[in-house]
Amino acid sequence: MMFSTLFPNGIGHYAFGGALIGLGVALLYATTGRPGGVSTFFSSSWSWLLRTPFFRQASLVDSRRWRLIYALGLLLGGAVYVLAGLPVEASHIPAWKLLLGGLLIGFGARLGGGCTSGHGICGMASLSLPSLVMVLTFLGTGIVTASLLKWLGV
């Protein structure tokens, strides 16, 4: 009963997607020795343009090419999905909420030294305790924030 409530469309496509994500992470690590993550891509991208000390860090400047290829691969994956004619659902969330949420997520990712993909997928897969703490923080903050916004009627 509860299982079908949580997954009204079945669990097969979630399991398949999770397996593909895990395969992608393993392939990236096996071929490059680097963990994946998306939020650092934005900082390394800004290192192409900005000359402030933060954006001139070697870790950002030296990794920006492979991070760009990594991000393009993510976009290519989305394009392949759409071109394959698979279902795409539009979000019904107002644009201002998406923008505000994106800014807060970006701030949280920089504050936590990575995002959910870096800590949640790659960090947890490598049994990193700091990543576990960050994922618990992300989830806890998200649940509290969503509950508070629902309670406020926003």
Side-chain angles (χ1 to χ4, degrees):
M1 176 75 172
M2 176 134 175
F3 192 78
S4 63
T5 304
L6 293 174
F7 301 101
N9 298 321
I11 196 168
H13 56 286
Y14 298 108
F16 182 68
L20 285 178
I21 290 171
L23 180 64
V25 167
L27 183 64
L28 175 67
Y29 194 77
T31 57
T32 68
R34 297 176 172 144
V38 177
S39 63
T40 306
F41 161 73
F42 292 105
S43 297
S44 67
S45 296
W46 281 108
S47 75
W48 292 93
L49 303 172
L50 301 177
R51 302 289 177 227
T52 60
F54 176 81
F55 293 105
R56 303 310 306 160
Q57 298 176 60
S59 64
L60 296 178
V61 173
D62 296 344
S63 67
R64 59 189 177 190
R65 289 185 188 201
W66 79 263
R67 289 186 191 282
L68 179 63
I69 294 169
Y70 182 71
L72 290 175
L74 294 173
L75 291 175
L76 180 64
V80 167
Y81 181 88
V82 170
L83 292 174
L86 296 170
V88 178
E89 294 183 28
S91 173
H92 300 290
I93 299 173
W96 72 268
K97 286 184 179 179
L98 293 173
L99 180 62
L100 180 62
L103 289 172
L104 291 172
I105 288 171
F107 178 74
R110 288 299 82 213
L111 191 64
C115 61
T116 51
S117 62
H119 283 299
I121 298 170
C122 298
M124 299 265 301
S126 62
L127 304 177
S128 166
L129 182 59
S131 289
L132 174 63
V133 171
M134 290 312 304
V135 168
L136 292 174
T137 303
F138 292 154
L139 286 174
T141 305
I143 290 169
V144 168
T145 302
S147 299
L148 180 64
L149 291 177
K150 182 178 180 182
W151 182 72
L152 292 172
V154 178

